[in-house]
Amino acid sequence: GQQLNQSPQSMFIQEGEDVSMNCTSSSIFNTWLWYKQDPGEGPVLLIALYKAGELTSNGRLTAQFGITRKDSFLNISASIPSDVGIYFCAGQDEDGSARQLTFGSGTQLTVLP
Amino acid sequence: EAGVTQFPSHSVIEKGQTVTLRCDPISGHDNLYWYRRVMGKEIKFLLHFVKESKQDESGMPNNRFLAERTGGTYSTLKVQPAELEDSGVYFCASSQGSGGAHEQYFGPGTRLTVT
């Protein structure tokens, strides 16, 4: 099956710093999504990307859909304590009826005061 | 608008027992998905309903897992009999629409522990 390689696996940063994480795939996805999961909660959608090359922002978050459709990155600027959590990338292949999401293994973000 | 809800939030059962998880999707969402995250690994797809029909169940691990969505509203996922490797967090998600990419909204998950 399809697999996403997400890196880094974990990050420790100081409050106020910028952070970047990315996902790569050996196969093409038509949609890339970025989710954040807080402890005890389900993943919450942060950003959805629908076109190759698309760059989308949501507040301090910026994500890009790679031009090859095989990768995506997420940047968080000026991190704050509430950014702590696990960030997941997910790809979606819309061929036919396949609308399942393929997830990366997650990036655990810790923001130090 | 109420989000996706799941019940129970936690379940601890012994190997060989049966457990049934429930998911209530966002009202009006035809698409309902089950996912599972085992031992800190990636979240993996189990199956996808469109209304009451199983659209894709390619991710179901084996025949000990049975999912239903009678009436096209809430869904249940039964594990019978449970094995140790079934432990993990089971997520349900829903989305609207019938074609193309649609954003999936996740419930809080059910943490299943099989001892």
Side-chain angles (χ1 to χ4, degrees):
Chain A
Q2 294 171 315
Q3 284 190 321
L4 293 182
N5 297 310
Q6 184 172 350
S7 64
Q9 191 172 25
S10 63
M11 298 185 75
F12 291 82
I13 61 172
Q14 294 292 136
E15 184 176 354
E17 289 184 340
D18 298 343
V19 61
S20 182
M21 56 194 79
N22 69 85
C23 275
T24 60
S25 171
S26 57
S27 54
I28 289 172
F29 287 104
N30 291 322
T31 302
W32 282 89
L33 306 106
W34 284 92
Y35 286 85
K36 182 194 177 194
Q37 184 184 6
D38 290 325
E41 304 288 331
V44 174
L45 182 65
L46 298 174
I47 292 180
L49 303 158
Y50 300 107
K51 295 181 182 179
E54 179 181 355
L55 183 70
T56 297
S57 293
N58 178 8
R60 295 179 294 105
L61 276 60
T62 302
Q64 184 157 29
F65 190 149
I67 196 72
T68 64
R69 293 196 288 162
K70 292 183 178 181
D71 63 296
S72 177
F73 71 75
L74 174 71
N75 286 341
I76 304 173
S77 63
S79 59
I80 59 178
S82 61
D83 291 334
V84 167
I86 304 176
Y87 291 79
F88 291 98
C89 62
Q92 189 173 49
D93 181 349
E94 299 154 43
D95 288 351
S97 62
R99 241 177 272 119
Q100 61 175 275
L101 295 178
T102 300
F103 280 87
S105 54
T107 295
Q108 173 73 61
L109 178 64
T110 301
V111 179
L112 304 172
Chain B
E1 177 183 89
V4 177
T5 59
Q6 293 186 244
F7 182 84
S9 57
H10 294 82
S11 180
V12 180
I13 61 172
E14 292 183 353
K15 176 182 174 181
Q17 290 185 323
T18 298
V19 63
T20 300
L21 314 180
R22 173 172 169 143
C23 168
D24 286 80
I26 293 172
S27 177
H29 281 192
D30 289 339
N31 296 288
L32 187 150
Y33 311 81
W34 284 98
Y35 292 86
R36 177 173 74 168
R37 188 177 191 217
V38 174
M39 290 191 61
K41 296 186 177 179
E42 69 271 23
I43 300 169
K44 284 197 171 181
F45 168 80
L46 296 178
L47 87 160
H48 168 207
F49 284 99
V50 177
K51 297 185 180 179
E52 67 275 10
S53 299
K54 291 177 184 174
Q55 186 71 31
D56 179 359
E57 50 184 332
S58 62
M60 294 288 263
N62 51 61
N63 59 9
R64 295 185 294 102
F65 289 75
L66 175 64
E68 295 181 323
R69 193 184 181 194
T70 306
T73 54
Y74 71 92
S75 174
T76 58
L77 178 65
K78 180 190 288 188
V79 184
Q80 178 182 28
E83 298 289 343
L84 298 178
E85 64 264 24
D86 300 333
S87 296
V89 181
Y90 290 77
F91 292 107
C92 175
S94 72
S95 70
Q96 61 182 12
S98 59
H102 294 283
E103 298 165 5
Q104 296 181 20
Y105 297 89
F106 282 75
T110 294
R111 180 173 293 278
L112 174 64
T113 302
V114 183
T115 62

